Amino acid sequence: MGVYFATLDPDDRILSLSLSHDGHLSHGHSVNFSGQLYEVEQYEVDPETGYINYEDFATLAQEFDLDLIVSGSSEYPREFDFERFIAVAEEVDAYHLANIPHVTGLIAAGEHANPVPHADFVTGSTHKTIRSGHGGIIMCDE
Ligand SMILES: Cc1ncc(COP(=O)(O)O)c(C=O)c1O
């Protein structure tokens, strides 16, 4: 049985949702360590519909020579299409991290798509929608 290490190095490249389009500081904003340690490109929501513009997202991913795609947000009031994130991550040979703190409860209840079987990493918090003590969850496969 092998041991699997997945790491990012400083200056590796991340594609994530912009903070001003419902993303999160820790997803590559310049005032956060994530935006200082890594090269970050950000995708946005369509200003007309409020949905993530998956076409623009896929184009950015193809142009940017990525190491990691982040799906997840603080404010996005729509369902994430994890299958599209996963398809693009596979196409550009990047890891996919689904950060799901705000929809963990919906996923657990079967009311939102579940990234766990497909994403390389899934992170969330225990004190938001699953109403437990303050803590975090990191899931990945072997
Ligand atoms: C997408 C996202 N990731 C991470 C965090 C940080 O979580 P915590 O407040 O549990 O430190 C938040 C907080 O709202 C968030 O929205």
Side-chain angles (χ1 to χ4, degrees):
M1 182 185 298
V3 179
Y4 174 68
F5 290 105
T7 61
L8 287 187
D9 295 316
D11 298 328
D12 276 355
R13 297 161 81 94
I14 296 176
L15 178 61
S16 58
L17 185 60
S18 164
L19 179 66
S20 55
H21 286 247
D22 309 331
H24 191 262
L25 276 176
S26 60
H27 297 181
H29 194 280
S30 57
V31 301
N32 182 265
F33 86 94
S34 56
Q36 295 166 16
L37 198 53
Y38 304 111
E39 293 286 318
V40 181
E41 185 66 56
Q42 301 221 283
Y43 56 95
E44 300 184 342
V45 297
D46 183 318
E48 298 295 318
T49 65
Y51 284 86
I52 290 169
N53 187 324
Y54 286 99
E55 280 75 33
D56 285 356
F57 160 74
T59 303
L60 280 174
Q62 284 148 3
E63 288 173 353
F64 194 57
D65 188 22
L66 287 173
D67 300 291
L68 177 73
I69 289 172
V70 181
S71 62
S73 85
S74 292
E75 321 284 348
Y76 189 60
R78 312 286 189 187
E79 186 162 12
F80 286 95
D81 188 341
F82 291 121
E83 290 187 8
R84 292 184 86 161
F85 283 104
I86 290 155
V88 171
E90 282 177 0
E91 190 186 320
V92 302
D93 196 24
Y95 293 119
H96 170 218
L97 163 66
N99 184 33
I100 57 164
H102 296 267
V103 289
T104 315
L106 291 173
I107 292 169
E111 299 293 336
H112 187 289
N114 181 4
V116 172
H118 311 292
D120 294 298
F121 313 99
V122 179
T123 52
S125 26
T126 49
H127 50 282
K128 290 178 180 147
T129 55
I130 54 175
R131 312 305 300 159
S132 183
H134 201 140
I137 311 167
I138 304 172
M139 291 176 273
C140 61
D141 63 21
E142 231 180 307

mmCIF file with all atom_site columns, all heavy atoms in Angstrom, residues 24 26-27 73-74 99 101-102 125 127-128 134, ligand 1:
data_model
loop_
_atom_site.group_PDB
_atom_site.id
_atom_site.type_symbol
_atom_site.label_atom_id
_atom_site.label_alt_id
_atom_site.label_comp_id
_atom_site.label_asym_id
_atom_site.label_entity_id
_atom_site.label_seq_id
_atom_site.pdbx_PDB_ins_code
_atom_site.Cartn_x
_atom_site.Cartn_y
_atom_site.Cartn_z
_atom_site.occupancy
_atom_site.B_iso_or_equiv
_atom_site.pdbx_formal_charge
_atom_site.auth_seq_id
_atom_site.auth_comp_id
_atom_site.auth_asym_id
_atom_site.auth_atom_id
_atom_site.pdbx_PDB_model_num
ATOM   1   N N   . HIS A 1 24  ? -14.533 33.497 -0.333 1.00 0.00 ? 24  HIS A N   1
ATOM   2   C CA  . HIS A 1 24  ? -14.092 33.667 1.051  1.00 0.00 ? 24  HIS A CA  1
ATOM   3   C C   . HIS A 1 24  ? -12.661 34.173 1.081  1.00 0.00 ? 24  HIS A C   1
ATOM   4   O O   . HIS A 1 24  ? -11.878 33.863 0.186  1.00 0.00 ? 24  HIS A O   1
ATOM   5   C CB  . HIS A 1 24  ? -14.191 32.326 1.800  1.00 0.00 ? 24  HIS A CB  1
ATOM   6   C CG  . HIS A 1 24  ? -14.013 32.467 3.279  1.00 0.00 ? 24  HIS A CG  1
ATOM   7   N ND1 . HIS A 1 24  ? -12.808 32.228 3.894  1.00 0.00 ? 24  HIS A ND1 1
ATOM   8   C CD2 . HIS A 1 24  ? -14.872 32.843 4.243  1.00 0.00 ? 24  HIS A CD2 1
ATOM   9   C CE1 . HIS A 1 24  ? -12.937 32.438 5.195  1.00 0.00 ? 24  HIS A CE1 1
ATOM   10  N NE2 . HIS A 1 24  ? -14.181 32.812 5.434  1.00 0.00 ? 24  HIS A NE2 1
ATOM   11  N N   . SER A 1 26  ? -10.169 33.242 2.694  1.00 0.00 ? 26  SER A N   1
ATOM   12  C CA  . SER A 1 26  ? -9.151  32.182 2.708  1.00 0.00 ? 26  SER A CA  1
ATOM   13  C C   . SER A 1 26  ? -9.013  31.480 1.356  1.00 0.00 ? 26  SER A C   1
ATOM   14  O O   . SER A 1 26  ? -8.216  30.561 1.220  1.00 0.00 ? 26  SER A O   1
ATOM   15  C CB  . SER A 1 26  ? -9.484  31.151 3.794  1.00 0.00 ? 26  SER A CB  1
ATOM   16  O OG  . SER A 1 26  ? -10.747 30.578 3.533  1.00 0.00 ? 26  SER A OG  1
ATOM   17  N N   . HIS A 1 27  ? -9.788  31.917 0.380  1.00 0.00 ? 27  HIS A N   1
ATOM   18  C CA  . HIS A 1 27  ? -9.713  31.312 -0.952 1.00 0.00 ? 27  HIS A CA  1
ATOM   19  C C   . HIS A 1 27  ? -8.870  32.164 -1.896 1.00 0.00 ? 27  HIS A C   1
ATOM   20  O O   . HIS A 1 27  ? -9.176  32.281 -3.074 1.00 0.00 ? 27  HIS A O   1
ATOM   21  C CB  . HIS A 1 27  ? -11.117 31.118 -1.540 1.00 0.00 ? 27  HIS A CB  1
ATOM   22  C CG  . HIS A 1 27  ? -11.960 30.165 -0.746 1.00 0.00 ? 27  HIS A CG  1
ATOM   23  N ND1 . HIS A 1 27  ? -13.248 29.828 -1.106 1.00 0.00 ? 27  HIS A ND1 1
ATOM   24  C CD2 . HIS A 1 27  ? -11.693 29.484 0.392  1.00 0.00 ? 27  HIS A CD2 1
ATOM   25  C CE1 . HIS A 1 27  ? -13.743 28.973 -0.230 1.00 0.00 ? 27  HIS A CE1 1
ATOM   26  N NE2 . HIS A 1 27  ? -12.810 28.756 0.699  1.00 0.00 ? 27  HIS A NE2 1
ATOM   27  N N   . SER A 1 73  ? -17.924 28.648 -0.921 1.00 0.00 ? 73  SER A N   1
ATOM   28  C CA  . SER A 1 73  ? -18.101 30.080 -0.715 1.00 0.00 ? 73  SER A CA  1
ATOM   29  C C   . SER A 1 73  ? -18.697 30.339 0.661  1.00 0.00 ? 73  SER A C   1
ATOM   30  O O   . SER A 1 73  ? -19.101 29.419 1.365  1.00 0.00 ? 73  SER A O   1
ATOM   31  C CB  . SER A 1 73  ? -19.038 30.650 -1.774 1.00 0.00 ? 73  SER A CB  1
ATOM   32  O OG  . SER A 1 73  ? -20.369 30.491 -1.368 1.00 0.00 ? 73  SER A OG  1
ATOM   33  N N   . SER A 1 74  ? -18.791 31.621 0.997  1.00 0.00 ? 74  SER A N   1
ATOM   34  C CA  . SER A 1 74  ? -19.480 32.017 2.222  1.00 0.00 ? 74  SER A CA  1
ATOM   35  C C   . SER A 1 74  ? -20.926 32.382 1.957  1.00 0.00 ? 74  SER A C   1
ATOM   36  O O   . SER A 1 74  ? -21.773 32.237 2.826  1.00 0.00 ? 74  SER A O   1
ATOM   37  C CB  . SER A 1 74  ? -18.815 33.247 2.835  1.00 0.00 ? 74  SER A CB  1
ATOM   38  O OG  . SER A 1 74  ? -17.552 32.911 3.302  1.00 0.00 ? 74  SER A OG  1
ATOM   39  N N   . ASN A 1 99  ? -14.801 23.321 -0.382 1.00 0.00 ? 99  ASN A N   1
ATOM   40  C CA  . ASN A 1 99  ? -14.903 23.862 0.976  1.00 0.00 ? 99  ASN A CA  1
ATOM   41  C C   . ASN A 1 99  ? -16.380 24.156 1.246  1.00 0.00 ? 99  ASN A C   1
ATOM   42  O O   . ASN A 1 99  ? -16.942 25.077 0.669  1.00 0.00 ? 99  ASN A O   1
ATOM   43  C CB  . ASN A 1 99  ? -14.054 25.131 1.092  1.00 0.00 ? 99  ASN A CB  1
ATOM   44  C CG  . ASN A 1 99  ? -14.064 25.667 2.509  1.00 0.00 ? 99  ASN A CG  1
ATOM   45  O OD1 . ASN A 1 99  ? -14.142 24.903 3.455  1.00 0.00 ? 99  ASN A OD1 1
ATOM   46  N ND2 . ASN A 1 99  ? -14.002 26.970 2.662  1.00 0.00 ? 99  ASN A ND2 1
ATOM   47  N N   . PRO A 1 101 ? -18.397 24.655 4.325  1.00 0.00 ? 101 PRO A N   1
ATOM   48  C CA  . PRO A 1 101 ? -18.899 24.900 5.680  1.00 0.00 ? 101 PRO A CA  1
ATOM   49  C C   . PRO A 1 101 ? -20.359 25.322 5.748  1.00 0.00 ? 101 PRO A C   1
ATOM   50  O O   . PRO A 1 101 ? -21.054 24.972 6.694  1.00 0.00 ? 101 PRO A O   1
ATOM   51  C CB  . PRO A 1 101 ? -17.982 26.008 6.211  1.00 0.00 ? 101 PRO A CB  1
ATOM   52  C CG  . PRO A 1 101 ? -17.356 26.618 5.023  1.00 0.00 ? 101 PRO A CG  1
ATOM   53  C CD  . PRO A 1 101 ? -17.251 25.521 4.008  1.00 0.00 ? 101 PRO A CD  1
ATOM   54  N N   . HIS A 1 102 ? -20.825 26.043 4.750  1.00 0.00 ? 102 HIS A N   1
ATOM   55  C CA  . HIS A 1 102 ? -22.190 26.573 4.839  1.00 0.00 ? 102 HIS A CA  1
ATOM   56  C C   . HIS A 1 102 ? -23.250 25.641 4.286  1.00 0.00 ? 102 HIS A C   1
ATOM   57  O O   . HIS A 1 102 ? -24.441 25.894 4.472  1.00 0.00 ? 102 HIS A O   1
ATOM   58  C CB  . HIS A 1 102 ? -22.277 27.936 4.146  1.00 0.00 ? 102 HIS A CB  1
ATOM   59  C CG  . HIS A 1 102 ? -21.429 28.968 4.818  1.00 0.00 ? 102 HIS A CG  1
ATOM   60  N ND1 . HIS A 1 102 ? -21.911 29.809 5.796  1.00 0.00 ? 102 HIS A ND1 1
ATOM   61  C CD2 . HIS A 1 102 ? -20.115 29.264 4.694  1.00 0.00 ? 102 HIS A CD2 1
ATOM   62  C CE1 . HIS A 1 102 ? -20.941 30.591 6.218  1.00 0.00 ? 102 HIS A CE1 1
ATOM   63  N NE2 . HIS A 1 102 ? -19.835 30.278 5.565  1.00 0.00 ? 102 HIS A NE2 1
ATOM   64  N N   . SER A 1 125 ? -16.858 23.110 8.453  1.00 0.00 ? 125 SER A N   1
ATOM   65  C CA  . SER A 1 125 ? -16.830 23.372 9.891  1.00 0.00 ? 125 SER A CA  1
ATOM   66  C C   . SER A 1 125 ? -17.966 22.644 10.570 1.00 0.00 ? 125 SER A C   1
ATOM   67  O O   . SER A 1 125 ? -18.997 22.363 9.969  1.00 0.00 ? 125 SER A O   1
ATOM   68  C CB  . SER A 1 125 ? -16.856 24.872 10.208 1.00 0.00 ? 125 SER A CB  1
ATOM   69  O OG  . SER A 1 125 ? -17.447 25.606 9.201  1.00 0.00 ? 125 SER A OG  1
ATOM   70  N N   . HIS A 1 127 ? -19.463 23.730 13.398 1.00 0.00 ? 127 HIS A N   1
ATOM   71  C CA  . HIS A 1 127 ? -20.311 24.593 14.227 1.00 0.00 ? 127 HIS A CA  1
ATOM   72  C C   . HIS A 1 127 ? -21.310 25.410 13.422 1.00 0.00 ? 127 HIS A C   1
ATOM   73  O O   . HIS A 1 127 ? -21.991 26.254 13.976 1.00 0.00 ? 127 HIS A O   1
ATOM   74  C CB  . HIS A 1 127 ? -19.429 25.547 15.042 1.00 0.00 ? 127 HIS A CB  1
ATOM   75  C CG  . HIS A 1 127 ? -18.420 26.264 14.208 1.00 0.00 ? 127 HIS A CG  1
ATOM   76  N ND1 . HIS A 1 127 ? -17.268 25.654 13.778 1.00 0.00 ? 127 HIS A ND1 1
ATOM   77  C CD2 . HIS A 1 127 ? -18.402 27.511 13.698 1.00 0.00 ? 127 HIS A CD2 1
ATOM   78  C CE1 . HIS A 1 127 ? -16.562 26.509 13.047 1.00 0.00 ? 127 HIS A CE1 1
ATOM   79  N NE2 . HIS A 1 127 ? -17.237 27.631 12.979 1.00 0.00 ? 127 HIS A NE2 1
ATOM   80  N N   . LYS A 1 128 ? -21.382 25.177 12.144 1.00 0.00 ? 128 LYS A N   1
ATOM   81  C CA  . LYS A 1 128 ? -22.355 25.941 11.350 1.00 0.00 ? 128 LYS A CA  1
ATOM   82  C C   . LYS A 1 128 ? -23.601 25.081 11.151 1.00 0.00 ? 128 LYS A C   1
ATOM   83  O O   . LYS A 1 128 ? -24.346 24.876 12.098 1.00 0.00 ? 128 LYS A O   1
ATOM   84  C CB  . LYS A 1 128 ? -21.717 26.408 10.048 1.00 0.00 ? 128 LYS A CB  1
ATOM   85  C CG  . LYS A 1 128 ? -20.667 27.489 10.330 1.00 0.00 ? 128 LYS A CG  1
ATOM   86  C CD  . LYS A 1 128 ? -19.970 27.968 9.096  1.00 0.00 ? 128 LYS A CD  1
ATOM   87  C CE  . LYS A 1 128 ? -18.945 29.032 9.483  1.00 0.00 ? 128 LYS A CE  1
ATOM   88  N NZ  . LYS A 1 128 ? -17.783 29.013 8.625  1.00 0.00 ? 128 LYS A NZ  1
ATOM   89  N N   . HIS A 1 134 ? -17.334 23.918 18.099 1.00 0.00 ? 134 HIS A N   1
ATOM   90  C CA  . HIS A 1 134 ? -16.491 24.647 17.154 1.00 0.00 ? 134 HIS A CA  1
ATOM   91  C C   . HIS A 1 134 ? -15.360 23.737 16.676 1.00 0.00 ? 134 HIS A C   1
ATOM   92  O O   . HIS A 1 134 ? -14.589 23.218 17.464 1.00 0.00 ? 134 HIS A O   1
ATOM   93  C CB  . HIS A 1 134 ? -15.915 25.882 17.848 1.00 0.00 ? 134 HIS A CB  1
ATOM   94  C CG  . HIS A 1 134 ? -15.480 26.939 16.896 1.00 0.00 ? 134 HIS A CG  1
ATOM   95  N ND1 . HIS A 1 134 ? -15.693 28.273 17.135 1.00 0.00 ? 134 HIS A ND1 1
ATOM   96  C CD2 . HIS A 1 134 ? -14.873 26.877 15.692 1.00 0.00 ? 134 HIS A CD2 1
ATOM   97  C CE1 . HIS A 1 134 ? -15.211 28.985 16.125 1.00 0.00 ? 134 HIS A CE1 1
ATOM   98  N NE2 . HIS A 1 134 ? -14.700 28.147 15.238 1.00 0.00 ? 134 HIS A NE2 1
HETATM 99  C C1  . LIG B 2 .   ? -16.143 29.324 2.734  1.00 0.00 ? 1   LIG B C1  1
HETATM 100 C C2  . LIG B 2 .   ? -15.620 29.470 4.133  1.00 0.00 ? 1   LIG B C2  1
HETATM 101 N N1  . LIG B 2 .   ? -14.507 28.825 4.471  1.00 0.00 ? 1   LIG B N1  1
HETATM 102 C C3  . LIG B 2 .   ? -14.009 28.943 5.708  1.00 0.00 ? 1   LIG B C3  1
HETATM 103 C C4  . LIG B 2 .   ? -14.633 29.724 6.653  1.00 0.00 ? 1   LIG B C4  1
HETATM 104 C C5  . LIG B 2 .   ? -14.014 29.843 8.009  1.00 0.00 ? 1   LIG B C5  1
HETATM 105 O O1  . LIG B 2 .   ? -14.770 29.109 8.876  1.00 0.00 ? 1   LIG B O1  1
HETATM 106 P P1  . LIG B 2 .   ? -14.753 29.361 10.455 1.00 0.00 ? 1   LIG B P1  1
HETATM 107 O O2  . LIG B 2 .   ? -15.660 30.515 10.675 1.00 0.00 ? 1   LIG B O2  1
HETATM 108 O O3  . LIG B 2 .   ? -15.318 28.084 10.933 1.00 0.00 ? 1   LIG B O3  1
HETATM 109 O O4  . LIG B 2 .   ? -13.355 29.610 10.863 1.00 0.00 ? 1   LIG B O4  1
HETATM 110 C C6  . LIG B 2 .   ? -15.791 30.383 6.357  1.00 0.00 ? 1   LIG B C6  1
HETATM 111 C C7  . LIG B 2 .   ? -16.489 31.203 7.367  1.00 0.00 ? 1   LIG B C7  1
HETATM 112 O O5  . LIG B 2 .   ? -17.569 31.651 7.221  1.00 0.00 ? 1   LIG B O5  1
HETATM 113 C C8  . LIG B 2 .   ? -16.306 30.266 5.045  1.00 0.00 ? 1   LIG B C8  1
HETATM 114 O O6  . LIG B 2 .   ? -17.398 30.930 4.692  1.00 0.00 ? 1   LIG B O6  1
#
